[in-house]
Amino acid sequence: QVRLVESGGGSVQAGGSLRLSCAASGYTDSNFCMGWFRQAPGKEREGVAGIGTASGSTYYTSSVEGRFTISQDNAKNTVYLQMNSLKPEDSAMYSCAAGYPWVCGGMRYHDFAYWGQGTQVTVSS
């Protein structure tokens, strides 16, 4: 059974940085999509960034391009989300998810089969 565990959330002032980690275990295939999603109270879940674990191709929603970077460490089976120049509107529960490799292109949450428990990010102005 695939298990995803996030860490690295917290509180930061606007303009600050945080790095989220997602450790994956229990999978047998090395080719899939790892994505980061976020959901703020009263808002829909949003795909933030994704990475194809075999191709290394990355995908970002427009609001985070240039500020967030998704990366992976295959030796540690871990995906990271480096978040710089954080804004109050980035505040949300961030969750990592895993799915088939082709779902990275659309970053639709219902295409992802496995989810972590989430980690809270709060950005104050």
Side-chain angles (χ1 to χ4, degrees):
Q1 183 177 354
V2 176
R3 184 167 182 249
L4 306 174
V5 179
E6 302 100 331
S7 61
S11 297
V12 66
Q13 289 192 327
S17 299
L18 284 172
R19 189 178 80 157
L20 306 183
S21 300
C22 175
S25 62
Y27 55 86
T28 57
D29 192 351
S30 62
N31 183 19
F32 48 94
C33 174
M34 291 292 294
W36 283 98
F37 290 78
R38 65 185 180 187
Q39 188 168 23
K43 294 188 177 181
E44 291 189 359
R45 194 178 309 183
E46 174 188 30
V48 176
I51 185 167
T53 58
S55 67
S57 297
T58 56
Y59 309 86
Y60 298 94
T61 191
S62 57
S63 62
V64 308
E65 276 199 280
R67 300 189 298 123
F68 291 11
T69 303
I70 189 170
S71 62
Q72 60 181 340
D73 184 335
N74 291 334
K76 296 182 179 180
N77 296 327
T78 299
V79 172
Y80 304 97
L81 185 67
Q82 177 67 44
M83 306 185 293
N84 299 328
S85 302
L86 282 162
K87 305 175 181 180
E89 52 264 41
D90 293 319
S91 297
M93 179 69 74
Y94 283 70
S95 301
C96 70
Y100 290 113
W102 54 84
V103 304
C104 268
M107 289 300 293
R108 295 174 298 185
Y109 71 86
H110 56 263
D111 287 334
F112 287 76
Y114 303 100
W115 291 83
Q117 81 288 353
T119 185
Q120 180 67 39
V121 170
T122 303
V123 184
S124 58
S125 57

